[in-house]
Amino acid sequence: MSLLQAIDVAKSYAGHKALDKVSIDVEQQSIFGLLGPNGAGKTTLIRIINMILAKDSGEIFLEGKKMTPSHTQFIGYLPEERGLYKKMKVGEQALYLAQLKGMPKQEAYTKLKEWFDKFDISSWWHKKVEELSKGMQQKVQFIVTVIHQPKLLIFDEPFSGFDPINVNLLKEEILKLRAEGATIIFSTHNMASVEELCDHIALINNSKVILSGEINEIINRFKANIFEITYKSPKELLLDKEGFTVLSTNRTNGTFNSRIKITGSGSPNELLHAIMPQAEITSYREVLPSINDIFIQEVNNAQHE
Amino acid sequence: MNKTLLIIKREYLSRVKKKSFIIMTILGPLLMAATIILPAFLADWSEATKKRVAVLDETGWFHEKFKDQDNITFYYIYDDLETSKENAIHEKGDLLLYIPRTQLNIPVNAQLYSTIQPGLNVTTYIRTVMKKEIENRKLLASGIDPEVIKSAKTNINLTTYRIEEGGVEKKSNTEVEVGLSIFAGIMIYFFIFMFGAQVLKGVMEEKSSRIVEVIISSVKPFQLMMGKIVGIALVGLTQFFLWIVLTALFLGIFQSGLFGGSIPENLAQWDQSGQVIEQSIQTENIGLDKLELVKEIIDGINFRVMIFSFIFYFLGGFLLYASLFAAIGGAVDQDADTQQFMLPVSIPLIFSVMMTGVIINQPDSSLSMWLSFIPFTSPVTMMMRIPFGVPLWQIWTSAVLLILGFIATTWLAAKIYRTGILMYGKKVSYAEIWKWLKNK
């Protein structure tokens, strides 16, 4: 069942099309990656979902109901360009922002205290925001985004500005939030984290969705039937025959590492059969394309069309 | 709790708790009280040092004409100039007034020597005495008795009455009204600008710190803008009320505490001092005590009307201008860019202050009336007219137009604000803003 559905959403600014009939479908309790080069329209789509911008046409449904402004309290949004009131105290500010999301003051206070303890930042409560480093401010912003336990969380480049330790902390929290029932849309250029976290992705380029689906399905769709085999042998094996093409071979001491593309009639098992009698195989695996490769390939293809 | 209320509360509290607000709130009334009290205090203090003046009169016309004053004592010497200087100035530390004999029949020159600044009260007194004496002598020389001239002098005591609706006659005094009019007009101008600037600053801060996107994902941009404007308006009203209360309080403290029991006397003196010179001649003719008159006029000022209309025109004018300031703050990226938009917005406000003279001279002219109808100028100009009395229908017209005016500017401003706050790194032009306005 889908939590959020955008159907044919379009938006243009003074002559420039920012979104051209974009449709996405975000499944309940999943992590949805919104990818795309800069200026593709990701932020516009996110702002429309948040009702910050009005769409020109199309529909957005949250849990099957047409979205209205009152739905924004079910959404937690961490924008890419984010900030806090510099002169305001951390605790006071977090409380204010939580209340703006519709939380009663007392409940917000209790919840905030829990989160501050969890992130080990309770001592910042009475500090002014301007006294915190950028990374510290990001933590506060993260807490403020999730504090009202929204059904839908939208993170725009959540990891920028965090050190690796805090990136991990954040990833853990994101996964935990999903486990607790939240649905997450997350927009990023960091492809490694996409592979690690996302269940579904949509690739937006030039205001259109050019690729979308379940992440493993997409990777399978783009695999090139290339296998990597490592074997021990006194000399390189001759494997170029019907159905197999050796793409590259590296030799280190008595160990060879070959990338072989299986074409037409060949199959992975046949390849294995061909090698087994002649050498000792130490590893054999299929080479899958990374999301990064797919991203670059698809964006380039789209531009050439 | 309603989200707009939350915003209003934050905007209000974060400003009221600021040190600068507290300082302004205390300093303002202190200054106001001081401007009322200090002249009396200073006059008292400076006159405390007694001065002695040695008079070396070679003409002999002014013998015994200089009478001892509160703080000035005169004595006469008959040496030559150099000896007198030596004795009076260097040995005794006094002042020396030298009236030399001249070729002319009538001496018009005199010299005052001293090692210190003689002070205005000394020179004024000497000049007055000499002038009077010489005039008398001239009159006598032409065969006119100075007493005749004195009795011929007449002072017209013209008391003006304004007939209010319902036939109530009210004693009015243009001087007091002019003072009140200028004060009210300038105050409105100052308040609108000071708190309008806070709106501009607040919006720009939200935009540049990038918190705005977080907030408008919870509330509508219009709620954020109005919350800010209303919150700051309340700060303005708080300041206004505190100033009135504290000024009264400080005046009370100054009077009773700091100066002990002596102050009421001094204050009374000072109250007259503005008219001291005129009065010394006039009091004989005017049957009414001047102080009494002032009191009666102050009683005549309708403070309730003044305060009520100040609050109305401050709120109306503030809402009108603050929404425009908010739009500017939302549209621009950098401080430097604000100038080009601030100027056209503030011109009507500055213009209305420049019209002060015109309005005071003719508060009922059609120019004054129209200026107090146009929403952009009415807050300042209507406040200036109100002390003189304004027909009720004009107040209503002006009030309704002002309300319509701020509804219109708020509507326009909200459109600019909504688009502008999410625009970064783009230098905005009027053409760009026009495009935003056409957006639905």
Side-chain angles (χ1 to χ4, degrees):
Chain A
M1 191 202 156
S2 53
L3 180 92
L4 180 97
Q5 260 182 313
I7 299 167
D8 289 342
V9 173
K11 169 86 186 171
S12 34
Y13 304 111
H16 159 71
K17 251 187 196 165
L19 288 178
D20 186 3
K21 297 204 166 186
V22 165
S23 301
I24 59 169
D25 196 323
V26 183
E27 248 177 62
Q28 197 112 42
Q29 220 178 340
S30 72
I31 300 182
F32 188 92
L34 204 53
L35 317 182
N38 292 325
K42 287 171 298 180
T43 303
T44 303
L45 178 62
I46 289 175
R47 282 179 178 169
I48 286 173
I49 295 172
N50 274 303
M51 313 229 68
I52 289 172
L53 288 179
K55 53 192 182 312
D56 294 345
S57 61
E59 293 297 345
I60 294 181
F61 297 95
L62 191 79
E63 295 187 306
K65 290 185 207 84
K66 247 190 202 179
M67 265 204 54
T68 60
S70 64
H71 281 124
T72 50
Q73 58 172 313
F74 301 121
I75 302 179
Y77 174 40
L78 185 69
E80 180 177 9
E81 296 285 1
R82 48 195 176 240
L84 295 164
Y85 288 110
K86 292 193 175 68
K87 305 268 175 207
M88 214 172 165
K89 290 198 174 120
V90 175
E92 202 184 334
Q93 179 151 207
L95 212 52
Y96 171 62
L97 293 171
Q99 281 177 280
L100 279 187
K101 275 292 181 191
M103 284 183 96
K105 192 172 182 181
Q106 197 49 48
E107 189 193 334
Y109 182 81
T110 324
K111 280 266 183 320
L112 279 171
K113 282 284 182 196
E114 281 172 25
W115 274 98
F116 272 56
D117 282 340
K118 191 194 274 187
F119 275 24
D120 207 17
I121 57 172
S122 296
S123 59
W124 301 353
W125 189 273
H126 292 291
K127 274 194 182 161
K128 277 190 183 167
V129 169
E130 59 188 353
E131 295 170 51
L132 304 185
S133 74
K134 197 175 172 219
M136 291 156 117
Q137 293 186 28
Q138 302 260 41
K139 276 193 185 176
V140 179
Q141 283 155 355
F142 180 83
I143 294 175
V144 169
T145 310
V146 302
I147 190 70
H148 58 294
Q149 293 175 297
K151 292 176 182 169
L152 178 64
L153 279 161
I154 303 178
F155 296 117
D156 200 348
E157 289 294 351
F159 304 124
S160 67
F162 278 103
D163 61 51
I165 295 169
N166 283 320
V167 167
N168 272 340
L169 178 74
L170 222 60
K171 279 181 186 165
E172 277 169 34
E173 288 304 330
I174 289 174
L175 290 172
K176 222 183 276 176
L177 286 165
R178 182 185 58 176
E180 285 163 10
T183 308
I184 294 145
I185 293 180
F186 123 73
S187 154
T188 183
H189 291 125
N190 183 336
M191 297 302 158
S193 60
V194 171
E195 278 172 48
E196 197 180 331
L197 297 172
C198 293
D199 305 307
H200 293 82
I201 60 164
L203 177 56
I204 298 184
N205 185 47
N206 227 342
S207 57
K208 287 193 181 85
V209 176
I210 55 171
L211 179 71
S212 70
E214 206 265 323
I215 195 157
N216 292 324
E217 186 268 318
I218 286 178
I219 287 171
N220 276 324
R221 208 195 302 171
F222 281 84
K223 69 182 179 188
N225 278 331
I226 295 168
F227 288 77
E228 189 184 72
I229 189 159
T230 315
Y231 56 86
K232 280 184 182 155
S233 163
K235 64 173 174 52
E236 192 185 342
L237 301 178
L238 283 174
L239 291 164
D240 272 318
K241 51 180 158 187
E242 184 64 28
F244 310 123
T245 318
V246 178
L247 298 175
S248 64
T249 306
N250 291 318
R251 178 181 181 162
T252 27
N253 298 327
T255 308
F256 292 87
N257 181 292
S258 292
R259 282 177 163 239
I260 298 155
K261 189 173 169 68
I262 299 171
T263 53
S265 57
S267 80
N269 276 9
E270 269 175 53
L271 179 64
L272 210 52
H273 275 297
I275 304 167
M276 253 191 318
Q278 307 173 52
E280 187 191 338
I281 296 169
T282 54
S283 87
Y284 183 64
R285 68 175 188 98
E286 181 171 18
V287 179
L288 291 173
S290 67
I291 290 293
N292 199 34
D293 298 334
I294 297 172
F295 178 95
I296 292 169
Q297 185 191 326
E298 281 301 286
V299 169
N300 282 337
N301 283 350
Q303 261 145 18
H304 290 309
E305 270 164 22
Chain B
M1 197 199 257
N2 183 307
K3 288 175 184 177
T4 314
L5 274 179
L6 267 171
I7 295 170
I8 294 173
K9 195 176 138 204
R10 192 203 84 88
E11 297 294 337
Y12 178 79
L13 287 180
S14 71
R15 282 181 176 77
V16 170
K17 283 194 283 186
K18 261 191 197 158
K19 273 194 208 94
S20 55
F21 177 84
I22 297 167
I23 291 171
M24 272 294 276
T25 302
I26 296 172
L27 220 57
L30 260 179
L31 283 175
M32 265 193 256
T35 42
I36 297 172
I37 298 281
L38 219 59
F41 174 66
L42 280 182
D44 195 43
W45 180 65
S46 69
E47 281 164 12
T49 53
K50 299 231 171 197
K51 293 192 181 92
R52 285 187 302 173
V53 181
V55 181
L56 175 57
D57 177 19
E58 286 183 358
T59 61
W61 288 11
F62 300 101
H63 188 67
E64 299 301 326
K65 295 288 179 197
F66 293 106
K67 303 274 186 303
D68 286 357
Q69 298 293 303
D70 275 354
N71 302 300
I72 319 166
T73 1
F74 292 95
Y75 60 96
Y76 293 83
I77 50 173
Y78 307 94
D79 289 326
D80 64 292
L81 185 59
E82 287 311 311
T83 333
S84 310
K85 274 186 185 170
E86 190 59 38
N87 286 340
I89 299 173
H90 297 295
E91 279 176 26
K92 293 182 188 155
D94 294 342
L95 293 88
L96 173 65
L97 176 66
Y98 173 54
I99 306 168
R101 194 195 310 278
T102 52
Q103 304 303 102
L104 298 165
N105 284 339
I106 292 158
V108 285
N109 286 318
Q111 287 136 27
L112 186 64
Y113 298 96
S114 77
T115 51
I116 49 163
Q117 271 296 321
L120 195 63
N121 55 348
V122 177
T123 52
T124 309
Y125 179 73
I126 291 173
R127 201 173 285 130
T128 315
V129 169
M130 287 183 70
K131 188 172 168 238
K132 205 168 174 187
E133 179 59 27
I134 289 165
E135 278 174 2
N136 279 347
R137 281 183 181 249
K138 279 180 176 172
L139 287 172
L140 280 173
S142 356
I144 300 164
D145 185 355
E147 284 304 316
V148 175
I149 299 286
K150 200 173 177 185
S151 63
K153 265 191 182 168
T154 316
N155 274 292
I156 307 298
N157 182 17
L158 179 68
T159 315
T160 50
Y161 290 89
R162 195 171 65 224
I163 299 175
E164 306 253 298
E165 276 153 273
V168 183
E169 288 176 10
K170 209 180 226 174
K171 198 168 277 180
S172 69
N173 183 311
T174 330
E175 284 156 45
V176 177
E177 283 168 354
V178 164
L180 200 62
S181 163
I182 295 176
F183 180 74
I186 301 280
M187 278 295 275
I188 274 271
Y189 168 81
F190 173 70
F191 262 71
I192 289 178
F193 246 129
M194 185 164 84
F195 292 100
Q198 289 201 21
V199 172
L200 176 79
K201 229 183 102 202
V203 172
M204 287 186 68
E205 189 200 332
E206 272 167 2
K207 186 177 174 181
S208 66
S209 75
R210 314 269 171 146
I211 192 170
V212 70
E213 198 167 348
V214 175
I215 293 180
I216 60 172
S217 71
S218 308
V219 300
K220 292 198 195 94
F222 185 72
Q223 287 177 296
L224 177 60
M225 184 179 104
M226 281 322 281
K228 183 172 290 289
I229 290 174
V230 173
I232 293 175
L234 293 178
V235 176
L237 287 181
T238 309
Q239 184 120 68
F240 177 66
F241 282 121
L242 285 175
W243 275 5
I244 288 179
V245 172
L246 286 177
T247 304
L249 192 76
F250 283 144
L251 273 178
I253 292 174
F254 271 132
Q255 281 191 29
S256 59
L258 269 178
F259 297 97
S262 72
I263 194 66
E265 220 176 289
N266 287 335
L267 253 187
Q269 268 179 19
W270 175 77
D271 270 342
Q272 292 163 305
S273 78
Q275 299 107 15
V276 136
I277 293 166
E278 276 175 276
Q279 209 186 329
S280 60
I281 312 161
Q282 291 179 2
T283 21
E284 310 153 64
N285 303 34
I286 300 174
L288 225 130
D289 182 35
K290 199 96 179 177
L291 250 183
E292 193 93 333
L293 193 68
V294 168
K295 201 172 159 291
E296 205 166 313
I297 288 159
I298 287 177
D299 288 343
I301 297 170
N302 198 334
F303 280 102
R304 210 161 353 137
V305 168
M306 283 302 289
I307 290 177
F308 179 77
S309 45
F310 186 89
I311 291 170
F312 176 80
Y313 281 100
F314 163 65
L315 280 181
F318 175 78
L319 288 174
L320 181 97
Y321 278 100
S323 60
L324 292 176
F325 286 142
I328 295 173
V332 300
D333 231 351
Q334 283 152 358
D335 268 337
D337 297 340
T338 53
Q339 293 308 320
Q340 60 159 330
F341 297 109
M342 277 296 279
L343 192 65
V345 171
S346 7
I347 278 176
L349 206 53
I350 295 167
F351 174 76
S352 39
V353 170
M354 281 162 55
M355 287 285 109
T356 309
V358 177
I359 291 158
I360 285 168
N361 278 332
Q362 285 178 305
D364 293 326
S365 72
S366 57
L367 176 67
S368 301
M369 186 183 85
W370 284 108
L371 284 175
S372 60
F373 282 170
I374 300 167
F376 286 95
T377 51
S378 69
V380 172
T381 50
M382 192 50 118
M383 268 326 278
M384 285 180 172
R385 289 183 64 200
I386 281 174
F388 298 101
V390 179
L392 207 59
W393 71 269
Q394 291 191 12
I395 294 188
W396 277 112
T397 312
S398 155
V400 169
L401 285 175
L402 184 59
I403 292 170
L404 291 177
F406 81 66
I407 291 173
T409 57
T410 308
W411 179 74
L412 279 178
K415 286 186 148 207
I416 299 173
Y417 176 84
R418 196 180 57 192
T419 315
I421 43 173
L422 292 172
M423 293 276 178
Y424 291 102
K426 206 173 183 184
K427 203 163 154 70
V428 279
S429 60
Y430 283 104
E432 184 79 28
I433 289 181
W434 181 242
K435 251 190 250 164
W436 299 352
L437 280 178
K438 285 194 296 184
N439 266 2
K440 62 199 157 358

